[in-house]
């Protein structure tokens, strides 16, 4: 068994969740963390028993012993962090949203493919057992034709211009950070939109704090997708078919149960107990691909991430969501 040396760029909240889950994997060794602050890197390294800490992001890509870098900085920095790692020949798992726009992602994909280096977006939901089960049921065709997808992700976040979700410089706004999950599940199950209808509302700081989206997709499937910082919502995904529906229970993007409701039958619940928080599944996929000499995951290929970014760009254009780029 090959053991891979991992590094983390960005010592924030999600980096901690990921570090905890990585420890569950016998073929992963978390060797280094890089932060813009050497003090924050040291504290993080101490908390998660990481032997090396760097006080700048650049030092991570220069470390020859690191095989895979997990990028957990705020999204305006994903492009530069990922680029420097790819150029240094490191495999990269980059948090969602991959980049701020499709133009940035086009460039990263071009570099990864040209240099034959592994690159994947850290949409952990794709690799959860619940999502895999949903795909299995959809592909079986047992529920008949798919008609609609409803998915939402909302929570009340009181207005605070210093909070990253209300701060444009930190990539604030609900669409890219939160709305990406409903968009993701819709495109995973029904493909990219042919037509988009959407509207957004804005906070004082200029960030979008709610966005409602309708996708018209192939085979006449229509998705209704909502994200909001203004109200709590069920955070469920429901996939409707001629002969029943599948509900990915709250919170649909995290490890959790799904229920199949077949017409005239009792609902069937599937549960998927987890050892950790669920982030190890995506890390497992990265190492499975590297073991097999792959530079993209067949389960979450770069073209799929490009499709997501294209939709986010189009929604932004229609709603007037800008970041000065
Ligand atoms: N997959 C998921 O479930 C999930 C969940 C949440 C977020 N995310 C994504 O992950 C990325 C980071 O989100 P996050 O929630 O982890 O953000 P966060 O906690 O605000 O951390 C982001 C960055 O801020 C810096 N930072 C952390 N603590 C700080 C402090 N006390 N003072 C100043 N700077 C500090 C860190 O960079 P340095 O240490 O390098 O300075 C860190 O990389 C975003 O792109 C987000 O969309 C994904």
């Amino acid at each position: 068994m090959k053991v891979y040396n991992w590094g983390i760029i960005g010592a924030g909240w999600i980096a901690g969740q990921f570090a905890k889950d990585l420890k569950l994997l016998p073929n992963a060794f978390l060797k280094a963390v890089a932060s813009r602050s050497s003090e924050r890197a040291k504290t993080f390294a101490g908390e998660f028993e990481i032997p090396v800490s760097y006080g700048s992001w650049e030092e991570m890509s220069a470390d020859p012993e690191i095989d895979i870098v997990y990028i957990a900085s705020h999204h305006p920095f994903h492009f530069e962090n990922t680029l420097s790692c790819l150029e240094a020949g490191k495999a990269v798992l980059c948090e969602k949203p991959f980049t701020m726009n499709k133009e940035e992602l086009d460039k990263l994909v071009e570099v990864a493919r040209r240099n034959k280096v592994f690159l994947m977006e850290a949409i952990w939901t794709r690799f959860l057992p619940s999502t895999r089960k949903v795909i299995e049921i959809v592909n079986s065709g047992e529920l008949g034709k798919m008609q609609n997808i409803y998915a939402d992700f909302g929570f009340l976040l009181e207005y605070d211009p210093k909070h990253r979700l209300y701060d444009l410089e930190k990539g604030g706004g609900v669409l890219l950070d939160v709305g990406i999950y409903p968009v993701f599940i819709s495109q995973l199950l029904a493909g990219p939109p042919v037509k988009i209808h959407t509207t957004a509302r804005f906070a004082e700081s200029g960030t979008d704090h709610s966005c409602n989206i309708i996708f018209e997709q192939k085979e006449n499937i229509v998705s209704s997708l909502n994200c909001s910082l203004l109200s709590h919502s069920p955070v469920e995904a429901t996939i409707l078919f001629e002969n029943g529906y599948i509900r990915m229970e709250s919170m649909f993007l995290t490890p959790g149960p799904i229920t199949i409701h077949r017409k005239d039958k009792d609902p069937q619940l599937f549960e998927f107990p987890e050892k950790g928080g669920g982030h190890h599944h995506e890390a497992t996929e990265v190492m499975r691909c590297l073991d097999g000499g792959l530079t993209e995951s067949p389960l979450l290929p770069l073209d799929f991430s490009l499709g997501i970014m294209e939709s986010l760009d189009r929604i932004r254009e229609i709603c007037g969501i800008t970041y000065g780029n």
Side-chain angles (χ1 to χ4, degrees):
M1 179 180 70
K2 177 170 168 55
V3 175
Y4 292 91
N5 284 336
W6 285 74
I8 294 181
I9 286 186
W13 182 80
I14 193 63
Q17 303 303 305
F18 185 83
K20 268 189 264 172
D21 281 350
L22 204 58
K23 296 215 177 276
L24 298 170
L25 302 176
N27 57 340
F29 178 61
L30 182 48
K31 181 165 183 290
V33 60
S35 167
R36 287 165 296 187
S37 140
S38 49
E39 202 181 312
R40 200 158 54 241
K42 270 193 200 127
T43 307
F44 190 96
E47 189 178 345
F48 297 101
E49 297 168 325
I50 304 171
V52 180
S53 66
Y54 292 123
S56 78
W57 291 335
E58 294 73 26
E59 285 170 275
M60 179 66 77
S61 40
D63 182 339
E65 289 187 8
I66 298 295
D67 303 305
I68 310 167
V69 180
Y70 167 64
I71 311 281
S73 51
H74 288 146
H75 24 288
F77 304 106
H78 289 180
F79 175 74
E80 66 179 74
N81 292 155
T82 300
L83 187 62
S84 67
C85 291
L86 290 176
E87 283 175 341
K90 306 211 178 299
V92 173
L93 173 66
C94 177
E95 259 311 331
K96 42 56 63 177
F98 224 145
T99 50
M100 294 302 289
N101 53 51
K102 184 163 174 293
E103 196 183 337
E104 287 183 349
L105 187 55
D106 279 333
K107 168 84 177 153
L108 294 181
V109 169
E110 189 273 316
V111 172
R113 285 179 175 161
R114 179 162 37 83
N115 293 343
K116 299 188 173 45
V117 186
F118 182 88
L119 176 62
M120 190 178 95
E121 187 172 14
I123 304 194
W124 64 313
T125 311
R126 173 62 186 89
F127 305 102
L128 299 177
S130 48
T131 305
R132 290 173 191 242
K133 185 71 188 171
V134 168
I135 292 173
E136 186 189 309
I137 299 161
V138 169
N139 289 345
S140 77
E142 64 161 303
L143 294 173
K145 187 194 172 311
M146 187 190 295
Q147 298 288 9
N148 291 89
I149 298 173
Y150 298 135
D152 70 279
F153 188 1
F155 50 92
L156 178 64
L157 184 68
E158 297 289 352
Y159 180 64
D160 171 4
K162 290 201 199 87
H163 191 286
R164 76 172 176 87
L165 286 177
Y166 284 112
D167 183 344
L168 284 176
E169 284 188 9
K170 292 181 182 149
V174 73
L175 175 66
L176 291 195
D177 202 282
V178 173
I180 190 170
Y181 285 107
V183 167
F184 158 76
I185 201 70
S186 170
Q187 294 201 191
L188 181 71
L189 301 176
V194 177
K195 204 168 179 187
I196 299 176
H197 311 265
T198 178
T199 183
R201 286 176 282 172
F202 293 87
E204 251 173 69
S205 59
T207 54
D208 52 305
H209 58 183
S210 94
C211 190
N212 298 63
I213 307 153
I214 289 177
F215 280 173
E216 292 181 37
Q217 286 147 300
K218 66 175 190 317
E219 293 169 18
N220 263 330
I221 298 169
V222 176
S223 291
S224 175
L225 314 168
N226 298 321
C227 56
S228 180
L229 304 179
L230 297 174
S231 57
H232 282 294
S233 71
V235 198
E236 290 169 351
T238 309
I239 306 109
L240 277 57
F241 303 81
E242 289 167 321
N243 301 320
Y245 60 93
I246 305 169
R247 174 162 292 149
M248 300 177 77
E249 308 289 348
S250 190
M251 299 170 64
F252 79 88
L253 55 138
T254 67
I258 63 164
T259 313
I260 307 179
H261 298 255
R262 296 179 180 87
K263 192 166 167 267
D264 303 326
K265 291 202 176 137
D266 286 340
Q268 187 180 14
L269 177 73
F270 291 88
E271 289 179 291
F272 308 92
E274 284 285 349
K275 275 199 202 123
H279 295 277
H280 58 287
H281 296 294
E282 60 187 356
T284 297
E285 174 64 2
V286 175
M287 296 187 288
R288 184 187 76 88
C289 290
L290 293 179
D291 282 344
L294 302 178
T295 51
E296 291 188 32
S297 162
L299 301 182
L300 192 63
L302 293 170
D303 282 345
F304 178 84
S305 290
L306 285 164
I308 295 276
M309 200 48 71
E310 186 171 341
S311 296
L312 296 174
D313 272 7
R314 283 169 62 198
I315 295 165
R316 284 179 53 187
E317 197 182 338
I318 297 167
C319 295
I321 300 169
T322 60
Y323 295 88
N325 60 15

